[in-house]
Amino acid sequence: MANETALPPTRPVTLEDDLAFLRGLHEQVLREAGGDTLLDLVQALVAACANPSTAESMASAQAIVGDLDAASTAAVTRAVTVHLHLTTLAEERQRARGLRAEDAESGEGIESGGVSPALSRLRGEAPELLDGLRIHPVLTAHPTEARRRAVTAALRRIATHLDLHDDPANGPAGRAFARRLLLEDISTLTRTASLRSTQPEPGDEVRTVMSIFDHTLFDIVPRLYRSVEAALPGADPGVSPPRVPAFLRFGSWVGGDRDGNPHVTAAVSRETVGLHAEQALTQLARAVDAVARAMTVDAAWSPPSDALREALANDAVAFPERFAQVEKSSPGEPHRQKMLIVAFRVEATRAQRAGAGYTDPDEMLADLALVQDSLVAAGDLRSAYGDLQHLIWLVETFGFHLAELEVRQHSAVHEAVLTELLAGLPDVTDPAAAAQDAHLLDRLARDGWPTGVHPTGERAEEVLDTIRVMAWLQERWGPRSCGRYIVSFSRNAADLAAVRALARLAVGTRPLRLTVVPLFETGADLENAPRILRDWAALPATIEHLESSGRVVEVMVGYSDSAKDVGPASATLTLGRAEEELVAWAREAGVQLTLFHGRGGSLGRGGGPLHRAIMAQPSGSVDGRFKVTEQGEVIFARYGDRTIGQRHLERLTSAVLLADEPERAAARDAAARRFADVAAVVDAQSRGCYRALVEQPGFADLLADVSPLDEIGELRLGSRPARRSGANSGRGLDALRAIPWVFSWAQTRVTLPGWYGIGSGLAAVDDLDALRAAYREWPLFASLIDVAEMSIAKSDREIGRAYLELGGRHDLTEQILTEFDLSKRLVLAVLDQEELLEHKPHLERAIGVRLPYVDALNHLQLRALRVLRLPTDPTSGQTRPDRQEWRRVLLLTVNGAAAGLQNTG
């Protein structure tokens, strides 16, 4: 007999449903705020941009915006930007909805990133690989997240109200209530200033990034370990000893990265780790308390072990007042009593109450293991291996420090400081040359400095104070809290020896576990990396460190500056070649190498699908260990939602496990050898083409003239200046950072850093069959082509031309557009496609729903740029009185386009 009370079936909510619903609410808000005039203007502009850009559609859009004053342009810009924020929200909801609906046995393929198929393929090797697995995301404060926290908070509220509105258990009244809340928050969003009024300080950036730990990571980390455990053959999670170690570690550059950021000081780094510890201990206290309050097992059914009884007796003496309260509130529940004591001690650690807190996480883990072992001995396996195991995983992953703070500084700063310090040595006649003498610096690191050497400048004092703070932090919060020191632009062994020499002067022989990490960024440095490492590894101080650390070495490779230096195709191939040589060096030197990938969010800085990038790494370069930066808007895109965050980490895990699977590695190596000649031609020709452009006189001026490059700093995206060396102009590419370089090109829709030179490189091969075979068989080459395809898909030739023409350099405009046409044509030919993204429907849809709105913002931005790049009104000849208003309009369009394009930096 049918169930007469069952609800009627409802079809799944689609992205289009969410977009239509949110668009309707937004239109109602716009009508209420400004009548129909603003809404009609927005709709007319978006309609003009609905089709691919042509001369006719460009003219139509420009006619709409051409007569707008600054206030009207700003209003339209804000309305379009809010729509793009809501579009991103709808996409995230649809993605999370789809992930939740997936069945674990739905037949997902290995390439989809599922943990289960990955472990099935590895079969008997899985347990051994899991034992050595280490995945290490490092969060950075690179200024690419254009949204204010107030905007993010409003969007989170809207997402919550959408869940309420879509809840099938909600009746008409409940849905009406949710709709009212949605209108209220969308109205608030439209009236919230999208531009920051003050420059963020490093502490603000620290708190922003830490919100991710609070909002998602503490929840999803144990879920990730459980999902991996459940995928193991014969697994029975929750009733047997865990077969998955805590393989995740998190790092952070926020508050530690001082390369080009004078606002990050030793005091900031000390405060940052204090905030990390406060957050970690607060979260652990909540987690322990939750486990303790649920562990109501009676001693009659789960008798305590002798070790637990002894521990409780000691606790009664050590913490008599607290123990008396615990014993009174939980009589006959010894396991709960111990957990409540653990909660008390974690809180005491957070409050820094001497004599009550834990000295380190290992002491806390020993208490948790004591409880777990006692429960196992009592036969209470579910209590032992359930939420208690989740808690153990949290402590093992986050410790008391949350994320290791990593220090980064430019090699040139160390060189300048050493030149100052070495000038005080009587036997040094040329301090500048001595600062680049690796053997001299190594002797100073081992034997110490002569007495009487003191810094005379603020920069030298700050460098030494930073190292002193690292030693203090390790003493207070343990070696994992802050021990890595990354040297940007490592050019030789002296750049690496410098850190230990400076450390010896700063802290003498005090304990300091210091891991020096070279960062190779330019094309030349990547090519020289193996030689630099050989020279460094031969130094006695390095040899001592390797022997004491288990011969573990970490090397960072940079995607951003290498691409800015030699172009995207050559950078990809140079990085692949450098990684192969680094693996060979590590084998020769007998060290365990971890490669640290400095990838950005944009396609011009190593962005794109991360799991595919891992699978494309040269054999042996992963080997179960993967460390990567997570930057700017990418952090919130990957970790802002629990479901999406867990799925991202699962895909990352499966890719790292499978990267060096023998069959896959053999095929990848064979393809790399087979297509080495193809790669050499693409590399040389694309690099030559790229350098021929960027070395042209006036090229840097062109970018500044046709884009918001010089205005980006006013967006106050982060605490770090947009240019190195305190440069006040964007006219020198060497001083310009990779982020504003990529950000500016993305705004113009030329997106040059993601594709320029690729067409010339492919054309030089002159063998389409070979190129197609390389795409099918060689993952590194496929990754190169796929990133180029995505980058070109986000470009717009006609809009790009309109920007380029602002610079008055017809020669450079034609050079860029000619290479664009060649790159698009040959990328499509290699892919054997008629249209871009033909075989990537999800990406095509994501870009497609945004493009009319992004195009609209481009036309609004072009209007602002034309006003600002002309100092006088062409009609009156007078200086425009509204230039400051238009400057603000330009910033609003930059902010909106960043929201629409997503991976801008």
Side-chain angles (χ1 to χ4, degrees):
M1 183 175 177
N3 184 352
E4 296 178 356
T5 63
L7 292 172
T10 57
R11 68 176 180 83
V13 179
T14 66
L15 173 63
E16 289 71 21
D17 293 333
D18 277 345
L19 284 175
F21 180 57
L22 289 169
R23 187 183 304 117
L25 295 175
H26 185 210
E27 289 174 356
Q28 180 176 339
V29 166
L30 290 178
R31 284 195 191 92
E32 293 169 354
D36 290 335
T37 304
L38 175 59
L39 180 58
D40 290 344
L41 196 54
V42 171
Q43 290 177 335
L45 180 57
V46 172
C49 299
N51 298 312
S53 298
T54 62
E56 184 179 353
S57 65
M58 291 283 292
S60 176
Q62 285 298 303
I64 293 170
V65 304
D67 294 328
L68 296 179
D69 60 14
S72 298
T73 307
V76 175
T77 298
R78 287 169 61 88
V80 174
T81 299
V82 168
H83 175 85
L84 286 167
H85 284 315
L86 295 175
T87 299
T88 298
L89 172 63
E91 287 179 332
E92 289 175 353
R93 281 172 53 78
Q94 181 62 22
R95 186 178 169 202
R97 192 184 290 131
L99 291 173
R100 285 193 293 267
E102 281 183 1
D103 186 88
E105 302 300 325
S106 62
E108 61 179 354
I110 289 171
E111 298 301 335
S112 74
V115 174
S116 183
L119 293 177
S120 296
R121 176 156 180 164
L122 292 167
R123 294 185 293 275
E125 302 171 57
E128 183 180 344
L129 288 172
L130 285 171
D131 285 342
L133 183 64
R134 178 69 80 237
I135 295 174
H136 197 150
V138 178
L139 311 183
T140 80
H142 286 22
T144 64
E145 170 57 273
R147 292 189 308 196
R148 291 181 60 215
R149 273 190 289 176
V151 171
T152 302
L155 290 169
R156 279 182 179 163
R157 292 195 303 272
I158 293 169
T160 300
H161 302 330
L162 273 173
D163 287 338
L164 180 63
H165 184 273
D166 292 345
D167 187 346
N170 241 344
R175 293 170 66 87
F177 176 71
R179 190 176 188 279
R180 182 183 65 75
L181 293 175
L182 283 164
L183 285 167
E184 183 179 327
D185 278 319
I186 292 173
S187 178
T188 299
L189 181 61
T190 63
R191 296 169 184 271
T192 297
S194 56
L195 301 179
R196 295 176 173 92
S197 58
T198 58
Q199 191 80 22
E201 296 181 356
D204 300 320
E205 295 170 329
V206 171
R207 290 176 178 86
T208 296
V209 168
M210 280 171 46
S211 69
I212 290 295
F213 289 90
D214 186 44
H215 186 65
T216 59
L217 287 177
F218 256 80
D219 285 334
I220 65 178
V221 162
R223 294 184 195 177
L224 169 70
Y225 296 148
R226 281 295 188 209
S227 70
V228 176
E229 185 179 34
L232 289 169
D236 193 5
V239 293
S240 58
R243 298 162 63 186
V244 175
F247 57 78
L248 274 174
R249 293 293 182 272
F250 288 91
S252 178
W253 282 9
V254 191
D257 181 8
R258 57 249 304 134
D259 177 9
N261 190 345
H263 306 297
V264 176
T265 63
V268 166
S269 294
R270 174 174 170 153
E271 180 186 0
T272 296
V273 176
L275 290 171
H276 284 185
E278 172 76 17
Q279 173 86 333
L281 289 164
T282 298
Q283 288 281 2
L284 288 176
R286 291 174 186 163
V288 176
D289 188 68
V291 173
R293 297 200 178 282
M295 195 172 287
T296 56
V297 293
D298 190 271
W301 295 97
S302 296
S305 64
D306 291 341
L308 181 59
R309 290 181 186 277
E310 182 180 347
L312 288 170
N314 289 328
D315 291 337
V317 173
F319 321 111
E321 292 182 9
R322 179 56 181 158
F323 188 82
Q325 295 170 356
V326 164
E327 194 172 36
K328 182 179 179 180
S329 66
S330 306
E333 298 170 346
H335 296 92
R336 190 184 194 208
Q337 291 172 5
K338 183 59 181 175
M339 291 303 300
L340 289 171
I341 291 295
V342 172
F344 162 74
R345 296 196 64 189
V346 171
E347 178 56 33
T349 308
R350 188 194 65 78
Q352 301 187 45
R353 290 201 295 272
Y358 286 111
T359 57
D360 57 39
D362 288 339
E363 188 180 3
M364 178 182 174
L365 284 169
D367 274 354
L368 297 179
L370 186 70
V371 176
Q372 189 174 59
D373 290 345
S374 177
L375 289 166
V376 170
D380 190 354
L381 301 182
R382 293 200 179 276
S383 293
Y385 298 124
D387 285 346
L388 177 57
Q389 180 57 46
H390 287 192
L391 175 59
I392 291 170
W393 276 329
L394 286 174
V395 179
E396 291 172 336
T397 300
F398 296 108
F400 291 168
H401 63 283
L402 194 72
E404 178 182 351
L405 184 69
E406 300 191 350
V407 170
R408 183 172 74 137
Q409 184 56 279
H410 198 291
S411 61
V413 172
H414 296 151
E415 185 177 359
V417 168
L418 284 165
T419 299
E420 173 191 321
L421 294 169
L422 291 167
L425 300 186
D427 56 342
V428 172
T429 57
D430 186 348
Q436 283 290 289
D437 184 340
H439 294 283
L440 170 61
L441 298 178
D442 188 71
R443 284 198 301 275
L444 292 172
R446 288 182 292 117
D447 302 336
W449 291 65
T451 57
V453 177
H454 303 290
T456 58
E458 289 184 9
R459 179 163 59 175
E461 190 66 58
E462 177 59 34
V463 167
L464 297 177
D465 279 348
T466 295
I467 297 172
R468 294 181 186 117
V469 161
M470 293 178 73
W472 184 89
L473 290 170
Q474 290 189 16
E475 182 180 343
R476 177 67 184 87
W477 298 112
R480 283 176 57 190
S481 64
C482 184
R484 284 177 170 83
Y485 199 117
I486 298 157
V487 183
S488 296
F489 289 92
S490 297
R491 304 156 296 176
N492 49 50
D495 287 339
L496 306 180
V499 179
R500 294 196 186 280
L502 290 166
R504 184 60 184 267
L505 181 61
V507 299
T509 58
R510 283 173 54 198
L512 172 62
R513 186 181 297 179
L514 190 64
T515 300
V516 179
V517 180
L519 169 51
F520 301 113
E521 299 183 77
T522 67
D525 289 343
L526 285 165
E527 290 168 351
N528 292 329
R531 175 187 58 77
I532 296 169
L533 290 173
R534 286 189 187 93
D535 293 345
W536 176 55
L539 297 173
T542 308
I543 293 172
E544 291 176 12
H545 170 73
L546 290 175
E547 294 306 319
S548 66
S549 67
R551 302 194 65 77
V552 172
V553 172
E554 187 174 304
V555 175
M556 186 173 183
V557 291
Y559 290 66
S560 305
D561 283 281
S562 58
K564 183 165 78 77
D565 183 35
V566 297
S570 182
T572 298
L573 296 169
T574 300
L575 279 160
R577 192 165 54 248
E579 289 178 23
E580 289 176 357
E581 293 174 357
L582 289 170
V583 170
W585 166 78
R587 288 173 179 157
E588 169 193 314
V591 302
Q592 184 187 80
L593 174 68
T594 297
L595 282 175
F596 180 9
H597 300 263
R599 301 172 68 90
S602 70
L603 301 175
R605 298 183 54 241
L610 187 54
H611 67 288
R612 291 200 65 185
I614 295 170
M615 298 294 228
Q617 297 302 304
S619 298
S621 65
V622 177
D623 196 24
R625 298 176 301 281
F626 189 74
K627 187 175 180 184
V628 65
T629 53
E630 302 272 37
Q631 301 183 2
E633 76 273 20
V634 170
I635 295 174
F636 293 92
R638 289 177 175 163
Y639 301 111
D641 177 270
R642 291 181 181 88
T643 303
I644 292 173
Q646 182 177 339
R647 181 61 168 174
H648 167 66
L649 290 174
E650 286 176 357
R651 290 166 69 85
L652 195 55
T653 301
S654 66
V656 172
L657 287 170
L658 285 172
D660 288 309
E661 186 259 332
E663 184 179 335
R664 185 182 301 272
R668 183 173 53 219
D669 291 346
R673 290 190 298 270
R674 178 181 172 189
F675 299 110
D677 292 342
V678 169
V681 172
V682 172
D683 185 357
Q685 192 64 31
S686 66
R687 181 185 301 215
C689 172
Y690 179 84
R691 295 304 306 176
L693 175 69
V694 300
E695 290 175 356
Q696 288 223 34
F699 177 74
D701 293 318
L702 176 73
L703 176 60
D705 290 339
V706 307
S707 77
L709 173 65
D710 286 337
E711 290 84 3
I712 284 175
E714 296 178 44
L715 279 175
R716 302 180 179 93
L717 298 183
S719 66
R720 191 172 72 168
R723 299 173 183 84
R724 286 189 169 94
S725 308
N728 292 319
S729 168
R731 302 304 195 257
L733 290 186
D734 290 340
L736 182 65
R737 289 188 175 278
I739 288 172
W741 160 259
V742 172
F743 199 110
S744 299
W745 282 116
Q747 292 283 318
T748 68
R749 300 293 295 285
V750 177
T751 63
L752 180 146
W755 57 263
Y756 196 89
I758 284 175
S760 292
L762 297 176
V765 174
D766 196 26
D767 186 341
L768 185 56
D769 289 338
L771 291 170
R772 286 176 173 172
Y775 178 79
R776 288 192 306 270
E777 300 172 27
W778 188 17
L780 182 67
F781 189 79
S783 177
L784 186 159
I785 297 296
D786 286 342
V787 167
E789 181 193 20
M790 285 189 280
S791 186
I792 293 169
K794 290 193 172 188
S795 305
D796 187 295
R797 191 185 193 281
E798 295 307 313
I799 292 177
R801 176 187 285 278
Y803 277 94
L804 291 170
E805 287 176 347
L806 294 175
R809 287 292 303 269
H810 179 74
D811 56 334
L812 292 179
T813 296
E814 291 308 312
Q815 187 173 345
I816 291 168
L817 293 179
T818 298
E819 181 64 22
F820 176 83
D821 292 339
L822 179 63
S823 297
K824 181 177 178 179
R825 178 170 63 81
L826 290 182
V827 165
L828 284 171
V830 171
L831 293 169
D832 195 17
Q833 294 175 188
E834 295 293 326
E835 301 291 340
L836 294 166
L837 306 179
E838 228 173 74
H839 302 303
K840 302 177 180 70
H842 295 298
L843 185 58
E844 182 182 29
R845 182 174 66 169
I847 293 177
V849 298
R850 281 182 165 82
L851 277 187
Y853 297 88
V854 176
D855 290 356
L857 286 168
N858 284 126
H859 287 290
L860 295 162
Q861 187 175 103
L862 280 164
R863 166 84 169 125
L865 280 170
R866 289 187 178 110
V867 170
L868 293 171
R869 296 302 183 253
L870 294 174
T872 59
D873 188 312
T875 303
S876 65
Q878 301 296 314
T879 300
R880 299 192 64 118
D882 56 354
R883 281 182 60 80
Q884 195 56 37
E885 293 178 59
W886 279 105
R887 198 172 187 87
R888 179 173 175 79
V889 170
L890 178 64
L891 295 178
L892 288 171
T893 65
V894 172
N895 186 285
L901 293 167
Q902 293 286 284
N903 50 1
T904 52

